[in-house]
Amino acid sequence: MLAEFAACPDRPVPALADPCDVTRAHDDFSRVAESTRITVRAERPGSWRPYRRVRVLLGLAPADGGGDTDPEALAAVREIAKAPPDQRPGVLLHWFRRLAARDAMDAEPGREPGDVCLPPFPVTEDDAAVVLARLTAEVTDHGDGCVDIGPVAVDSYVRTTILPTATVQELACGLASGLLGVETRPDAGAPRPVPGSMRWSRGSTRLVFQVTAPLAPGSQESAIEISSLSDRGHGWSAGNVERVRLEDGGRVVVVELDDAPAYETVRVLIRDTGPTPLLGRSPRVPFAGVEGGPPGTPDGGHDAVVTMQLESGGYRESGNEAGRAES
């Protein structure tokens, strides 16, 4: 059931008669009376969903919906995720304005087949109706021209409702408490692991990864643990870390094990908690955890945990030294 725009000519006034008009009409309508008519259609009118880039940015539309992928919207989502929590609202606002402007520039009115000139309205007349309800009924055709219609069920929850501006303002303030809490404190500048930098070598007995800032020498000695999980239900096996050393001015961590992990599912734990956390060199603050996580503070950061699934087939038997990380 739809509400559609309806217009009727109104208020006739005297008008000059056309000498060639045999009807000699002396009146013409001077107004159009706008109203609404209620109709029932078998199909729902087309949905108008403008500002696709903004909808992708806010997670309201899939990034590849209908095969129309926008690289700028995807880049914006990635940049916001990488921003420190205290800077994330500002980065989001920057991209919101940018993508909204792009969407507005690309917008054009809805066209009917055969239209030569652009119409003045954003959607076609057939798609401009407002959905009020969905009507469902059982129809029985007896085949002799007689039709029975059963009870009609009315679903009013399919309509789109526009909230008042004051309500929208209150809802925005309700979300602000989540942006103004402890998670928005500035990060203390502690190191974090560089995503995708973990690499195995020497028959899976050496693990090397990079960090975003130099580490304090000596803090790495007891800060890393490695374990592996059996795919056959034999449980966890703790790896024996022989030593951990720093290279490249404290930006590269090299972990050497006595033996390769017992199983293919490997879990790497980089500690910030406990008595022997990994520390940054300057400033000397605890490890902050994975990229995009909560901010670290001068007194405490967050453990970083990376689960790595080594190549199938078993690296011990095949000698394969490459693995792929899944965090």
Side-chain angles (χ1 to χ4, degrees):
M1 185 168 63
L2 311 172
E4 295 183 314
F5 174 77
C8 298
D10 194 16
R11 295 192 183 180
V13 296
L16 294 176
D18 186 349
C20 298
D21 185 1
V22 295
T23 63
R24 294 293 192 272
H26 295 278
D27 295 331
D28 201 355
F29 296 101
S30 64
R31 298 289 188 274
V32 174
E34 298 180 348
S35 62
T36 303
R37 62 173 176 265
I38 305 300
T39 62
V40 176
R41 291 191 201 173
E43 300 292 336
R44 182 189 179 102
S47 298
W48 187 52
R49 290 291 184 268
Y51 292 90
R52 169 166 171 75
R53 294 181 183 87
V54 173
R55 297 178 68 83
V56 171
L57 175 69
L58 300 180
L60 300 176
D64 57 351
D68 182 19
T69 302
D70 187 85
E72 192 171 14
L74 297 179
V77 172
R78 289 192 291 267
E79 183 172 331
I80 294 168
K82 292 181 179 179
D86 62 305
Q87 300 176 19
R88 205 166 291 168
V91 177
L92 172 60
L93 180 60
H94 164 77
W95 279 106
F96 180 88
R97 290 171 173 168
R98 182 187 180 101
L99 297 181
R102 287 287 307 277
D103 284 335
M105 288 186 288
D106 291 346
E108 62 177 22
R111 292 174 179 262
E112 293 281 7
D115 281 346
V116 177
C117 299
L118 287 176
F121 302 109
V123 296
T124 62
E125 184 175 351
D126 289 340
D127 294 333
V130 177
V131 178
L132 300 179
R134 177 190 291 119
L135 307 181
T136 306
E138 183 177 348
V139 180
T140 304
D141 187 353
H142 297 285
D144 55 357
C146 296
V147 176
D148 290 339
I149 300 178
V152 178
V154 180
D155 180 7
S156 301
Y157 298 106
V158 297
R159 64 176 64 186
T160 300
T161 303
I162 299 177
L163 298 177
T165 303
T167 303
V168 175
Q169 293 173 341
E170 293 172 356
L171 292 175
C173 291
L175 294 175
S177 59
L179 299 175
L180 302 176
V182 64
E183 297 300 324
T184 61
R185 291 183 300 183
D187 189 86
R192 298 177 186 267
V194 175
S197 67
M198 290 193 172
R199 296 290 182 270
W200 290 94
S201 62
R202 271 189 14 182
S204 299
T205 61
R206 174 182 289 172
L207 175 65
V208 180
F209 63 92
Q210 302 172 15
V211 292
T212 58
L215 297 169
S219 68
Q220 80 280 1
E221 293 180 356
S222 302
I224 298 177
E225 296 181 10
I226 295 179
S227 57
S228 60
L229 177 65
S230 169
D231 294 339
R232 298 178 177 84
H234 299 307
W236 287 96
S237 174
N240 295 319
V241 177
E242 180 180 355
R243 64 172 179 161
V244 182
R245 70 176 190 272
L246 303 180
E247 295 182 353
D248 192 21
R251 289 182 175 271
V252 174
V253 181
V254 180
V255 184
E256 295 184 357
L257 286 76
D258 291 337
D259 199 359
Y263 306 115
E264 296 175 359
T265 301
V266 180
R267 184 177 175 90
V268 180
L269 170 63
I270 307 172
R271 287 195 174 278
D272 164 71
T273 56
T276 58
L278 198 62
L279 295 181
R281 185 175 64 192
S282 179
R284 192 171 290 263
V285 293
F287 200 73
V290 297
E291 186 179 52
T297 69
D299 300 315
H302 310 277
D303 291 346
V305 180
V306 178
T307 302
M308 309 182 70
Q309 186 66 38
L310 299 181
E311 295 290 346
S312 60
Y315 44 82
R316 284 187 180 178
E317 292 76 15
S318 65
N320 187 356
E321 297 181 355
R324 55 186 178 87
E326 298 177 352
S327 58

